[in-house]
Amino acid sequence: MDDLYREVIIERYKNPLYKGELDPCDIRFEDENPLCGDHIRIDLRVDDQNRVTEAAFSGHGCAISQASADLLLESIIGKSLDEVKALTKEDVLDLLGIELGPVRLKCALLSLKVLKAGVYGLGEAPDDLVGEGIE
Amino acid sequence: MLSVEEIRRQFPILHRQVRKGVPLIYLDSAATSQKPLQVIETMQRFYQLMNANIHRGVHTLAEESTAAYEKAREKIASFIGASSTKEVIFTRNTTEAINLVAYSWGRKFLQPGDVIILTEMEHHSNLVPWQILSSEKGIRLEFIPVQEDFLLDLDVYRRLLELRPKLVAFTHMSNVLGTINPAKDMIRLAHEAGALTLIDGAQSVPHFAVNVRDLDVDFMAFSGHKMCGPTGIGVLYGKQELLEKMPPFLGGGDMIKKVLLRDFVPNTLPHKFEAGTPAIAEAIGLGAAVDFLQEIGMDWVLAHEQEITAYGLERLSEIPGLKIFGPDASHKGGVISFTMQGVHPHDVAQILDQDGIAVRAGHHCAMPLHEKFHIPATTRASFYLYSRKEEVDLLVAGLEKILTIFG
Ligand SMILES: Cc1ncc(COP(=O)(O)O)c(C=O)c1O
């Protein structure tokens, strides 16, 4: 466990660097994990090259979902939207540095799901956006 | 006088390790209880020696299995104080039992505008079936509020009864708050107002003596798997004169007396409501669970759980930032739901799991209740006849560890 709750995860949960709202913003999307009620909204600003200049998330949830949102947003600053679209489940798990069972995987991948649905401009966030193994 | 250790010897699973060197501390009995050897072996013996489909068979095995299935029904009828086995309908679980009443009684006897009274502390299984009925037939649902002290507001209940409801359906004991509702008084008041009553006994029947005749309740639903029995078997108790008037729920084999090409004559009670091959081994297993509970005595079970719960409430309230959702021990059964400041319930449950402690985190199928308290989820520890004070101590130690991780 001490693995699952690595220092970086607890630290990012308690003191997130990207928590907040961007108003106005270019891309906004929100969704929740009905299982545990975790809720995440992501706001992005992009430049004229479609590169992410600023990112923020708001909402509530467990340490895994909140830390993964914070680490994910940190990793996309300066990336193009095409690069964001190419992000996978493995990228998020690498950021977290942990292995997760199917239930907590949903927590970890909620932010990626929200991010990709926002970037694709979708009306809703289908689970298959972030790869297999999450239903 | 029985010892908890003697009882625990009956439950093989309580002696397993979750991981090497980490014994199981099972504090999730409100979700499902563990099963004693007596139940496991009864079901195994059924399959090894007796297995056959019930009713209509003339061969020896069919006669034996039919007798065993009907014997289980007798045991359950006597356990809950039913007047006759005709009043004990086997279902899959509490949920199916409540749906049976909503579907069969509700569709036949309710008219648009009729009122059903529920409470704010219902499990989804005593909420959604009535919502479905409400949207289909234009039934009006009203709710008895939960007060600050986590008890039902009985003054509001009395006022709601002036609406002359057709049914009052409520949980005997909340699976989140642990609140034990004053069922007998509530039923009497409902009857005085001309309403029928249904109690969700999923959390009461396993934990203390419940007598349907003493309560004078019209319908009661409960699940085998929460009372030392197997999954896949539950019970609907209904007063015979009501069940007689209700149309069948599911159609098919066993529930008929006679079938023509375009018509059928339903079977007599209780078979009218048991379409198709039932969960035979599970019913017999539930009969064994009832024997087991009766040998120990429901008064012992209640006293034991009260002692553990009182101790748990006392120990948990020592933890800084921990908030308990539920009334004081005198109104409460063996569940303690709580939040910890700054730590999500899922993280609490996950970290406890590393020490082998099984608790549940989430909304426990009572989303409206959580919304009322403005929380997405709680962590719940729940106790049963095999729970020990030492396990409460281990829970507290685990929670203290969480405080240091998140502190
Ligand atoms: C109060 C209450 N009602 C109903 C249920 C539903 O029981 P089942 O899932 O066995 O139908 C439960 C169990 O989760 C419960 O605690």
Side-chain angles (χ1 to χ4, degrees):
Chain A
M1 143 203 110
D2 301 310
D3 265 336
L4 200 52
Y5 289 88
R6 291 170 64 220
E7 219 167 293
V8 53
I9 293 177
I10 300 293
E11 181 52 32
R12 289 297 184 117
Y13 172 65
K14 282 165 53 183
N15 302 305
L17 303 177
Y18 291 86
K19 188 134 189 185
E21 301 181 2
L22 299 176
D23 219 357
C25 63
D26 301 304
I27 291 172
R28 169 173 293 167
F29 197 81
E30 59 190 303
D31 198 8
E32 60 190 7
N33 180 347
L35 192 71
C36 43
D38 288 4
H39 185 108
I40 285 189
R41 184 179 106 190
I42 291 179
D43 298 346
L44 299 180
R45 283 185 187 147
V46 295
D47 63 14
D48 46 13
Q49 319 278 312
N50 266 345
R51 285 187 180 279
V52 178
T53 55
E54 282 175 88
F57 76 97
S58 48
H60 55 81
C62 63
I64 308 281
S65 80
Q66 301 287 293
S68 91
D70 204 53
L71 291 163
L72 178 66
L73 293 192
E74 181 176 61
S75 80
I76 63 167
I77 303 289
K79 284 212 165 91
S80 71
L81 292 185
D82 282 339
E83 287 172 299
V84 171
K85 285 179 187 171
L87 287 172
T88 65
K89 157 180 154 190
E90 279 68 35
D91 294 323
V92 175
L93 293 181
D94 284 349
L95 289 170
L96 289 168
I98 53 179
E99 280 183 28
L100 289 170
V103 174
R104 301 316 295 278
L105 198 57
K106 276 184 183 280
C107 305
L109 295 181
L110 177 62
S111 51
L112 180 62
K113 200 168 112 175
V114 169
L115 177 66
K116 288 180 91 171
V119 170
Y120 275 105
L122 298 177
E124 57 180 63
D127 282 333
D128 57 10
L129 260 187
V130 290
E132 83 292 359
I134 72 158
E135 250 326 297
Chain B
M1 192 63 204
L2 266 167
S3 77
V4 183
E5 287 317 314
E6 281 169 74
I7 289 177
R8 290 177 70 84
R9 273 203 286 282
Q10 297 290 315
F11 291 82
I13 203 171
L14 297 178
H15 305 287
R16 80 160 264 189
Q17 299 190 338
V18 176
R19 273 172 296 283
K20 209 168 169 17
V22 182
L24 170 68
I25 308 296
Y26 188 73
L27 299 180
D28 195 20
S29 291
T32 197
S33 75
Q34 296 302 351
K35 324 300 175 200
L37 275 173
Q38 203 168 316
V39 169
I40 299 168
E41 286 170 356
T42 297
M43 292 175 70
Q44 187 175 355
R45 264 199 310 277
F46 169 78
Y47 281 123
Q48 284 181 339
L49 298 173
M50 206 188 272
N51 177 52
N53 210 333
I54 52 167
H55 303 312
R56 295 175 315 277
V58 287
H59 59 77
T60 304
L61 295 192
E63 276 181 359
E64 285 178 6
S65 67
T66 304
Y69 179 77
E70 293 304 331
K71 179 78 195 162
R73 196 192 307 273
E74 273 171 39
K75 289 177 185 176
I76 292 157
S78 116
F79 184 62
I80 60 170
S83 313
S84 137
T85 50
K86 292 189 173 136
E87 302 185 317
V88 173
I89 315 287
F90 282 124
T91 62
R92 275 189 307 142
N93 46 36
T94 304
T95 305
E96 187 176 288
I98 297 173
N99 275 275
L100 191 164
V101 177
Y103 190 93
S104 166
W105 176 82
R107 276 175 181 72
K108 170 137 187 202
F109 293 105
L110 295 183
Q111 305 299 329
D114 282 348
V115 174
I116 294 179
I117 297 183
L118 307 169
T119 84
E120 286 181 343
M121 62 168 83
E122 295 313 306
H123 187 281
H124 297 165
S125 67
N126 195 29
L127 203 49
V128 180
W130 307 114
Q131 292 171 345
I132 293 173
L133 190 66
S134 158
S135 65
E136 250 181 55
K137 296 207 60 165
I139 307 299
R140 174 168 158 201
L141 304 181
E142 293 290 340
F143 296 87
I144 309 171
V146 176
Q147 302 171 147
E148 293 284 295
D149 59 3
F150 303 101
L151 305 181
L152 290 177
D153 187 332
L154 296 177
D155 291 333
V156 173
Y157 175 45
R158 283 195 188 83
R159 283 205 296 282
L160 288 173
L161 286 173
E162 290 167 14
L163 298 170
R164 309 297 291 178
K166 289 290 189 312
L167 177 73
V168 178
F170 62 96
T171 188
H172 202 175
M173 171 179 144
S174 161
N175 64 315
V176 178
L177 307 172
T179 308
I180 297 174
N181 290 315
K184 193 170 175 175
D185 289 342
M186 291 174 68
I187 290 164
R188 184 177 43 79
L189 290 170
H191 287 162
E192 284 167 13
L196 292 182
T197 52
L198 177 148
I199 56 180
D200 171 349
Q203 296 294 345
S204 60
V205 175
H207 299 281
F208 49 91
V210 176
N211 184 299
V212 289
R213 256 180 306 168
D214 176 52
L215 288 173
D216 196 24
V217 70
D218 301 289
F219 298 106
M220 180 170 80
F222 57 100
S223 296
H225 69 93
K226 293 184 200 281
M227 51 188 287
C228 297
T231 55
I233 189 82
V235 172
L236 172 69
Y237 161 82
K239 282 185 184 163
Q240 186 174 342
E241 73 259 29
L242 293 168
L243 294 174
E244 297 283 9
K245 284 189 273 181
M246 285 160 51
F249 173 40
L250 302 172
D254 251 2
M255 52 71 69
I256 45 86
K257 196 176 275 162
K258 180 169 159 185
V259 177
L260 310 167
L261 262 186
R262 299 185 189 282
D263 206 2
F264 72 95
V265 181
N267 205 338
T268 50
L269 288 173
H271 313 292
K272 177 167 93 175
F273 293 108
E274 293 178 6
T277 301
I280 304 165
E282 287 76 6
I284 294 168
L286 178 55
V290 163
D291 285 342
F292 175 79
L293 288 172
Q294 274 180 325
E295 280 156 28
I296 291 167
M298 292 311 287
D299 292 339
W300 188 92
V301 174
L302 175 64
H304 175 69
E305 285 179 36
Q306 280 178 327
E307 191 183 330
I308 297 265
T309 307
Y311 181 67
L313 288 172
E314 180 192 316
R315 291 294 324 269
L316 260 66
S317 60
E318 293 162 8
I319 297 174
L322 187 144
K323 181 165 170 11
I324 292 170
F325 291 83
D328 59 57
S330 64
H331 293 95
K332 194 170 162 75
V335 309
I336 304 182
S337 296
F338 58 92
T339 56
M340 284 176 88
Q341 174 126 43
V343 193
H344 192 283
H346 276 190
D347 294 321
V348 174
Q350 181 108 49
I351 296 174
L352 291 175
D353 178 63
Q354 300 304 318
D355 292 334
I357 303 173
V359 297
R360 191 152 288 252
H363 49 61
H364 318 297
C365 292
M367 284 177 91
L369 183 65
H370 283 77
E371 240 149 60
K372 180 182 174 90
F373 297 121
H374 309 291
I375 43 172
T378 48
T379 308
R380 179 183 74 188
S382 55
F383 310 118
Y384 205 11
L385 72 176
Y386 40 64
S387 303
R388 295 175 299 177
K389 281 188 174 171
E390 295 91 299
E391 295 178 308
V392 172
D393 294 334
L394 290 167
L395 172 67
V396 169
L399 295 174
E400 280 165 350
K401 185 160 132 197
I402 291 170
L403 281 186
T404 57
I405 296 177
F406 281 85

